[in-house]
Structures are given as structure tokens and as C-alpha cells.
Amino acid sequence: MINVSIRTDLYYVGNIYDLDKLIRILRETYGRRLQGYKYYGGKVTWGEINGISDLPLSVEDYVEPGLYRLREGYRFRHSSVSPKLFLLPSKQIYIVESNDFSQAKVLDYNVSIQYVLFGIKPCDLNAINVLDRMIGEKNPVYAHRRRSISAIIVEECLEPNNNCFCGVMNSGPFVEKDFDIAYARLDDKRVIFKYGSSFGRDVLSKLELRIAGEKEVYEYLEKTKLARERTSAVFKKSMKEIQESLMNKARDKELWLKISENCVGCGNCNFVCPTCFCLEFDYSINGEDQGVKIANWTGCLLYSYGQVAGGHFRPELYTRYRHFILHKFVFYPRQIERLGCVGCGRCITWCPMSIDLRECVNNAISG
Amino acid sequence: MIRVAFLKLTSCSGCLNQSLVALLSNEELLGKFEFAYFTELGLLTEDYFDILFVEGSVSNSKQEKELREFRKKSKTLVALGTCAVQGGIQSLRSGEDVEEVKKTVYPFPDKIDIYSDPKPISDVVKVDFAITGCPINGDAVVNFLRKYDVGGLPLILPESVCCECKRNGLTCVMVAQGTPCLGPVTVSGCGALCPSFQRGCYGCYGLRTWDLDKTRLEKFFDKLLKLGAPESMIQVIARGYGYRSYKYVRRG
């Protein structure tokens, strides 16, 4: 049962050592620097990729709500970091000024280095798209860092993990646009490549890969289809109905109190979310009689978030949790015409209280 | 010159040492402030102070009297460390009969002047500013003095320890290793010290109480017990470091 209409010439097949070749070509021939998920010291963090040994190729994440374990395997999906760590760092120094305000220096984040995001996931790519629309040029740090990214190489997920729901948010587990090269691991050795831009095609042609056979393409498409199905059956209603229902129930205090009953307001979900972008300014004085203006990550689940001069606009925890859900599902579409959630499931994995966002949304729309 | 005093009540001197180390490593501060009263340095001038730092909790009537007198002499009072702010480790004895203990240990128990429940200093005098921690982060004192010097006060943004963990790029010890950690319900300020050494937070900065109610806290403690946390860990947060705040936590 092979579909004859499949275009096999778009796909190439290689093995994991071709990834090493790819890294070397990008670094040496094109002079780019690579940023991506880095396996270091038994953990997967974010950092510079210098070779195949930096890639999380022989680990796999096992997740449940509130549980994360790395084990041996070849299907790495997520860790708590995301490309946000590179694009919108957790601490950004803006201005350094002298104590008598006579001298001030605005820090220049303009970088001449060309970066490549290597091995990010389809949901991460969509999260960057959300951030582009939401922040774009408004934040100088983000704008400069975003401009320094010259190419994006995506690793598609053929086996999403338990907490993934990218299918229903239409942001995975495969990519169709906005990427240069995408690859997916058919098994622990074979890797299937495709290109999404002329730059990607040029780079792939240098790898000297063989064009994929029909069987391999069929296997790839079949696995993607399964993965999409697996991550799609999450919500009881369609997205439009969910949005309407959430808005209708926004004022139901009892319901939201019930939904947020396990939340302790620690803000972990905000910090691991690849599309959460809130910053908070802090002014400090350092030893050389200088004042420094720093922007730190903050989150809408934290008490200090609603604190303003003269009072507090969301003192109760349930209102802040409600805002988290409503913002992602209802307000983002109004602001940037796309959903704010990309379905990566990080907020579910890294919640110390094992709160499942999918359950909460389901309870909100049915309760 | 701004006159500064450090008063020590029932405590381990850890906060004083932290302040001292931080001050000595920022020499430019020493020129702007005059240290009038600091028993550890042998400075004992008691006339008036611009800033009075108080370390430790109030454990007997003598300390209470001393604290009241010092308060009268000072313009700004800063509670230094968890003992002063919430009662600290010695609050573990709260609610127990101290008379019995005195009788078993001392031949003349009447001569021992001690309260059964240690008091945070806010029970005795008006506190203008609080720096929590056990021990405190020395930078907080330095930051306070610098801002005081230019005519302001530090802005306190109370958050959970998780925020500092995530900003520093640490992997969550609770989710990724199953280590019981009190970070989610504890006040930040330490820079996520314990989690950066793969240890769980033990809540020395005290409970976040302004938006947590008892039901949520009980649920969090249940989660810790499920992860294998000993009952004593809960006791420490609920009765020791967080005794004061736990007592006044809003009922859910």
C-alpha cells in the first residue's frame, strides 16, 4: 500500500553521523555558530553546539504531569529550556548609569555573529513565531538576537511524549514552513532530511545524502500521521468552542477556584513556557557607584506580578491562574491572531503540583 | 555619616557574620557609614542610630527590654534574618512546656528567664524593613545600605525560589530527580542556593503567605510526603522557619 503521489525527491536519508557533517559544514563552510539543545553533564540544557557529542542523541525524556526523567533512548523531545533562553534571556541589562546621572550607557545587543538554531522542535519554531508577533521589535534584546538567527534547523518528533498536545494546537509534530532544514529520526540510526528554503537545499546538497526511497518516505509520513493523531485527541470541543466557553465562564469564581485549587503560585509554568515573555525591571546599585537597570523574567502566576503603586490588581491566586489560561487561549488570538499556546506540554511536566493544563481547560469548558 | 548599629538577640550570629563579610568586601561603604554599635567588633557606643539592624528573636524579658530601648534610640529598624522576622529555628519549641525542661536541666529553674514561645521582634517593636534568610544574603544588607545612602529603600518583590532557579537555568530537583523541595512555597532571595547543589530547598527564608491558604499548603505538603519527604521536614517549615507565617496563614 504505497501512495504513488508521494514525492520522494524532497526527502533525503542519512544516518546520525550526517548530523555531525551538517554541524561541521554550517560551522566551517558557512561560518555560523550553532545554538540548540545541548547534552551536558547528564542534563539537557541550552547552549552552543560544537559537534555531535553536544547533541542529546542517546537520551530520551520520560514525562508525566509533574515528573521528568532522562533515560537511554533516541527520542529526545524536551527539557525545561526552550529557544526563549537565547532570544529573551532571563536577565537582560539595559542601562548602566552613574550615580549622579551624568553618564549613562545603553547596552548594545547588536551582534554581528550569525547564529543557527539547531535541532529545535516544531513547537519551539511556532513559539518563536508567537514571540515574533508579540514582541518583535519592541524589545531591543529580542530584536537583535532574532535578527542574528540566519537559519533554523528543526528536529521533528515522530513519537511525541505523554504531555505533548501540539497536534490540537496546530503547531506540530511536523513542520511545513518557516524552516531551512528539518530532520526526523526514523529509528536510532536512520535520519530523514527535508529542506524548506534554498539555503537548506544548498546545505543538504553538500551533505551528499541519498534520495529517500518510497518505503522510507511512506514510513516517515505514516509515523507523522500517527504522531499528529496522538497529540490531537486532547480537548472535548473544537478550539472555537473552547474559546467561546472560556469567555462565557470567565466570571464564574467558584469554577476557577475549583480549577486552581492545587496551584501554589510558584510560577514554574511561566518560566518554562516558550511563549511567556513578561519582564520586570529592577534597579540596583553596584560597587562602582553605578545604577543598573535589569529586566528579569517574571510571570503572571506570581504575586508580585499584579503589584502596582497603590495596590494590587490580581491579589487572589485563582484570578492569576485564570489569566494564564485565558491569555493563552483567548487574548493572544485577539492580540496577534494566533493561539499563545503551542502545546509543548512543558507547563504540565514542570509543575511541581502535577497540574495538567489539558484537564484544567477541559474542566473549564465542561464544568 | 550615617550611624549604624547591629543588635544581637537569640541567634547564631550567622546573619551578623554574613553582613560583616559583605561590608568588608565593599570597602567604599565603610567610608559612608559609621558603625556605632556592633558587639562582635567591640563597638559599644549607645546614643542614637540612623539604622538599627536586629538579629535574632526575643527569648526573655531582658532582651525585650533591651530591644525596646534600642528602638527608642533609632530612626529605622531593620529585622535581619528569619529569627528576627519569624522566630527562626528556636520556634520549634513553640507550644511546649518550657518549665518542665528547665526543671530537668537546671538545679534552680527559677533563675532561668526564658519564654516558652520565642517572639519575632515585630511582636515587641515596630519594624520598618525586613530582610529574611537563614542566614541572610549579605548582598541584601549592602543593597539596603546603598539605597538608603541615596535616599531610598530596596524594592521587595516577593516570589518563590522557583523563579530564581529558572532564571539561573537550573533543572528542577523536584520534577527531574524526585527530591522533596520547599522552593515553590518559600520566599526567594537566596539565589536558589540549595537547588544549585542538587539539594531540595528547606525553606529557610520562610513561607510565602500572602497568596497561599492552608488548603493549598496542605496539598503541597502531601505532595512532598508522597515524594518521600520525612514528616520532620514539614515540621520544620510549618513550625520552625515558617512557624509564625504558618500560624497566620489564611484558612482556605
Side-chain angles (χ1 to χ4, degrees), chain A residues 252-263:
Chain A
D252 190 346
K253 181 181 172 182
E254 290 305 312
L255 174 74
W256 289 101
L257 270 176
K258 185 94 189 55
I259 287 168
S260 67
E261 64 180 358
N262 285 330
C263 181

Side-chain angles (χ1 to χ4, degrees), chain A residues 181-204:
Chain A
I181 299 173
Y183 66 90
R185 297 181 71 185
L186 291 172
D187 50 40
D188 57 345
K189 289 195 183 66
R190 284 181 304 151
V191 182
I192 188 162
F193 292 88
K194 66 178 179 187
Y195 56 83
S197 70
S198 52
F199 173 77
R201 194 179 54 209
D202 291 350
V203 176
L204 278 190

Side-chain angles (χ1 to χ4, degrees), chain B residues 82 182-183 186-187 200-207 233 236-237 241-242:
Chain B
T82 307
L182 289 167
T186 304
V187 182
C201 165
Y202 63 98
C204 68
Y205 272 60
L207 281 178
M233 188 176 177
V236 168
I237 184 77
Y241 288 124

Side-chain angles (χ1 to χ4, degrees), chain A residues 43 68-69 90-91 260 262-264 266 268 271-272 280 283 285 287 297 303 320 349 352-354, chain B residues 146-147 157 159-160 162-163 166-168 171 175-178 198 208 210-212 216 219-220 223:
Chain A
K43 286 174 191 160
Y68 182 91
R69 294 286 183 277
S90 56
K91 288 170 190 166
S260 67
N262 285 330
C263 181
V264 292
C266 63
N268 266 315
F271 293 104
V272 295
E280 176 177 72
Y283 299 85
I285 305 169
W297 278 357
Y303 183 79
R320 301 202 294 278
T349 310
M353 295 300 286
S354 317
Chain B
R146 283 207 182 114
K147 291 223 167 149
L157 292 171
E159 299 165 334
S160 62
C162 299
C163 304
K166 289 289 182 296
R167 280 186 203 132
N168 295 347
T171 306
V175 172
Q177 294 171 17
Q198 274 84 48
R208 280 191 309 121
W210 44 86
D211 59 341
L212 287 175
R216 288 176 207 268
K219 278 188 176 150
F220 182 74
K223 175 89 187 178

